[in-house]
Amino acid sequence: MADTQPTLNGIAAKIAELSETFTKYLNENNVPAPTFVADSPTSYVNLSPEIFMVRQKLLDAVNDMWYLTQGPSESIFNYVHTAMPDAAALNTLNYFDFWSAVPIDGSASYADIAKHTSLPEDVVRRILQHAITLRIFSETEPGKPSSRVQHTSRSGALARSSGLRALVSTILDDAGPPMMVMNEALQRYSRGKTELTQEMNESSFALFHSSGIYGKYNNSWELLENDGAGEKKGWRAKNFVEFMRYVKEIFHLEEIVLQSHDWKAAGDVTVVDVGGSAGHDAVVLARHFPNLSIIVQDLPKVRPVFEADLPPDFKSRISFVEHDFFQPQPVEADIYIFKMILHDWPDHEAARILRALIPALKPGARVILFEYMGKQDATEGPPLPRSIQQMGTATDLRLMALFNGKERPVDAWKNIFHAADERFEIASVKANPETFFTVVEAVWRG
Ligand SMILES: C[S@@+](CC[C@H](N)C(=O)[O-])C[C@H]1O[C@@H](n2cnc3c(N)ncnc32)[C@H](O)[C@@H]1O
């Protein structure tokens, strides 16, 4: 079979071909192509679904090229050697906001940056020297002692986008360290068993934070709510809200919410967005459908962000209620939405969350789940590019580390409704392979 295996030249040819198709599309559609300079566009905009696929295939080929150029051993060696320093450098740059220490259209000395970040100049220099190898910042005169630091497109993207900064903070700073004790958590709690432990206090996160530097927490919501002192209290929750808003933006989730239900035909109804963050989905719904009154429920530290961000026009139709979704639902509504909530919890906890709705459910009330589509069935078409599969597999592992949770296939969501209560009747299941989202609607037949 060796002759059917990819070769360096074969992959190079494939890269040339895919890159040609991709750039032709960009040119024909006037999509500005990013470069490495600070004022470059920060992403490719308006890619059609087909050309998005081409881009992902190109990425797969580039990755294969990277692996094969190094050879198997060195590809592992080089990855292992740099993965943690890369992540630690990016997280540190982000935490100390190096992004604003350097003007986007100018430069700063290492001493300026040290002053801005209150870090020793030598530390600043060392972190930046590694970051520069990743094209995050560059030197005005590379290697010269008089050199100053300037933005590249990659550092500039972070300087420009609070959402991207929040994403780095949430994924690296909140979720990163616990992932490194996943092996120890599996060793302690799941080895020798047929299934992953479903106990929240036996996750990698809970193990890491059992005597952790930030305090003792069982899951990341507890950390988000409680970490920080004085004015910093709740800073992680605030970041998380920004992260969710960013996710909505980059994955165009607005459309998925708008098209999930016939909101207009629903009439003058009350909708509860359970775990609705600071109301970004509520605002989308309220803007398009004047017939909806929406109550956003979430944890206490989310309230200040909701209050700061709610556009005044919507004050009469969107409100915020602090509510722990494990507690009995206090609002008798017509429709409850749960967007990207249940994937954070093991099956029995997810069923508990749905069951907590029951005291408020009137016959005919609807519950709509929005979740990222889990693993594709092999019969559902050709395999997706690995670079797309990784979006799901990486989230899945993060959910395992943080919550002993998982990304689930479509059928699993039906089962969770059934496990919660037989009186939930599945009304529709929409799984869209283009958006990678599943929307499951159930009706309460109590
Ligand atoms: C992954 S986010 C999804 C947010 C929002 N639905 C969206 O799609 O953007 C999960 C949300 O659940 C909230 N949450 C976590 N535990 C909760 C609890 N026990 N009660 C209420 N909300 C909770 C978090 O604060 C967070 O806003």
Side-chain angles (χ1 to χ4, degrees), residues 21-41:
T21 310
F22 186 55
T23 46
K24 187 163 175 264
Y25 175 91
L26 300 181
N27 291 336
E28 286 175 0
N29 293 279
N30 296 321
V31 179
T35 66
F36 289 119
V37 295
D39 63 357
S40 150

Side-chain angles (χ1 to χ4, degrees), residues 237-268:
K238 195 165 169 230
N239 252 338
F240 191 85
V241 168
E242 190 61 33
F243 165 55
M244 289 318 294
R245 199 180 287 145
Y246 184 68
V247 167
K248 180 183 96 173
E249 221 176 275
I250 52 177
F251 290 111
H252 309 292
L253 303 187
E254 187 161 327
E255 280 308 306
I256 298 173
V257 173
L258 289 174
Q259 287 165 18
S260 61
H261 185 79
D262 193 346
W263 297 105
K264 195 166 174 205
D268 293 338

Side-chain angles (χ1 to χ4, degrees), residues 13-302:
K14 194 167 174 192
I15 290 175
E17 187 191 316
L18 289 165
S19 149
E20 173 83 33
T21 310
F22 186 55
T23 46
K24 187 163 175 264
Y25 175 91
L26 300 181
N27 291 336
E28 286 175 0
N29 293 279
N30 296 321
V31 179
T35 66
F36 289 119
V37 295
D39 63 357
S40 150
T42 54
S43 27
Y44 295 100
V45 289
N46 300 331
L47 297 185
S48 65
E50 296 74 30
I51 209 71
F52 172 76
M53 263 320 165
V54 168
R55 200 266 301 261
Q56 297 310 122
K57 285 182 188 160
L58 176 55
L59 264 176
D60 278 11
V62 169
N63 275 328
D64 279 347
M65 182 88 163
W66 193 87
Y67 297 138
L68 224 50
T69 305
Q70 297 169 92
S73 302
E74 277 103 320
S75 72
I76 297 288
F77 175 100
N78 291 333
Y79 170 74
V80 169
H81 184 57
T82 56
M84 292 303 138
D86 290 358
L90 181 53
N91 191 33
T92 305
L93 293 170
N94 197 53
Y95 183 90
F96 289 96
D97 193 17
F98 277 54
W99 322 123
S100 70
V102 179
I104 193 77
D105 49 3
S107 64
S109 67
Y110 284 98
D112 294 338
I113 302 171
K115 195 160 169 231
H116 187 95
T117 57
S118 305
L119 287 173
E121 188 175 329
D122 176 59
V123 171
V124 164
R125 207 174 265 278
R126 289 166 63 190
I127 292 171
L128 280 170
Q129 273 164 6
H130 186 67
I132 286 168
T133 68
L134 303 170
R135 292 200 186 268
I136 297 176
F137 293 109
S138 66
E139 286 194 322
T140 51
E141 303 165 278
K144 290 199 182 153
S146 58
S147 187
R148 293 168 66 83
V149 177
Q150 63 192 359
H151 274 289
T152 59
S153 56
R154 274 161 58 81
S155 60
L158 281 145
R160 290 191 169 95
S161 165
S162 57
L164 194 56
R165 295 195 293 274
L167 176 140
V168 172
S169 179
T170 302
I171 293 192
L172 289 184
D173 205 53
D174 298 352
M179 293 209 69
M180 291 314 293
V181 299
M182 184 186 261
N183 54 337
E184 181 61 24
L186 291 173
Q187 164 72 28
R188 288 192 194 194
Y189 308 123
S190 295
R191 191 166 207 177
K193 298 188 179 160
T194 51
E195 282 187 9
L196 176 72
T197 170
Q198 294 286 286
E199 299 305 321
M200 294 293 284
N201 61 0
E202 293 181 346
S203 66
S204 315
F205 184 95
L207 178 62
F208 180 82
H209 286 285
S210 54
S211 54
I213 51 175
Y214 305 123
K216 190 167 163 33
Y217 303 113
N218 256 344
N219 65 57
S220 60
W221 310 119
E222 294 177 4
L223 171 72
L224 262 54
E225 277 289 292
N226 296 299
D227 188 44
E231 280 192 357
K232 259 214 128 178
K233 187 115 181 152
W235 73 280
R236 288 183 195 268
K238 195 165 169 230
N239 252 338
F240 191 85
V241 168
E242 190 61 33
F243 165 55
M244 289 318 294
R245 199 180 287 145
Y246 184 68
V247 167
K248 180 183 96 173
E249 221 176 275
I250 52 177
F251 290 111
H252 309 292
L253 303 187
E254 187 161 327
E255 280 308 306
I256 298 173
V257 173
L258 289 174
Q259 287 165 18
S260 61
H261 185 79
D262 193 346
W263 297 105
K264 195 166 174 205
D268 293 338
V269 294
T270 302
V271 179
V272 174
D273 187 359
V274 188
S277 193
H280 53 97
D281 290 319
V283 169
V284 169
L285 281 173
R287 181 170 291 131
H288 286 81
F289 300 103
N291 51 315
L292 305 180
S293 298
I294 307 169
I295 297 164
V296 177
Q297 296 179 335
D298 210 296
L299 296 171
K301 288 290 177 298
V302 178

